[in-house]
Amino acid sequence: MNDILSRLFFAGFIRLHILHHAAEEAICGVDIVAELGRHGYRLSPGTIYPALHELEKAGYLTVRTSVVAGKVRKYYAATSKGRKALKQARKKLHELADEVLQPPKSRKRAKPNR
Ligand SMILES: [Zn+2]
């Protein structure tokens, strides 16, 4: 994946995506890599785990350790703070998508706040 694009834009998309899925059900790193892979992101553990730790540090995710088929897995779930953040981010995402994904002709420019 393009490094500049990843750093500037996709890093936030990935975090939002993780939070979205962690709000639906507890999810482990391996599942997140697979899920994001389904969306065309090829992520290494070196990308995913720092993102998970940041979200955890922000208080948006809680982590629980579970042994699955003899393997220790960490499962991440959204906290109520995380759900609130997700709600705010969704609002912003909606606004952005409404504008950015419009065909050029119907684009309206927001009036400057002065
Ligand atoms: Zn997804």
Side-chain angles (χ1 to χ4, degrees):
M1 206 183 283
N2 184 304
D3 282 349
I4 295 171
L5 264 178
S6 297
R7 187 169 50 80
L8 290 180
F9 302 127
F10 300 157
F13 295 175
I14 289 164
R15 283 162 179 73
L16 187 57
H17 206 135
I18 292 171
L19 192 56
H20 165 75
H21 284 290
E24 289 186 330
E25 59 181 337
I27 189 166
C28 67
V30 177
D31 292 341
I32 292 166
V33 170
E35 169 59 23
L36 286 159
R38 207 172 60 78
H39 291 282
Y41 295 98
R42 235 171 256 135
L43 301 169
S44 66
T47 305
I48 275 295
Y49 288 99
L52 285 168
H53 292 148
E54 277 176 352
L55 291 168
E56 194 189 338
K57 210 176 152 194
Y60 293 174
L61 294 181
T62 49
V63 61
R64 161 177 73 78
T65 305
S66 181
V67 180
V68 180
K71 281 185 181 171
V72 179
R73 289 262 158 91
K74 281 183 172 180
Y75 280 85
Y76 298 86
T79 60
S80 61
K81 193 179 174 185
R83 287 172 196 279
K84 271 180 208 155
L86 185 60
K87 203 175 161 189
Q88 284 182 309
R90 276 198 181 117
K91 214 174 147 191
K92 289 287 186 193
L93 180 63
H94 246 290
E95 218 175 274
L96 181 66
D98 279 351
E99 181 164 353
V100 171
L101 304 181
Q102 282 295 314
K105 265 189 176 174
S106 56
R107 267 181 211 151
K108 273 184 224 151
R109 229 179 261 173
K111 282 182 187 155
N113 282 324
R114 266 183 219 149

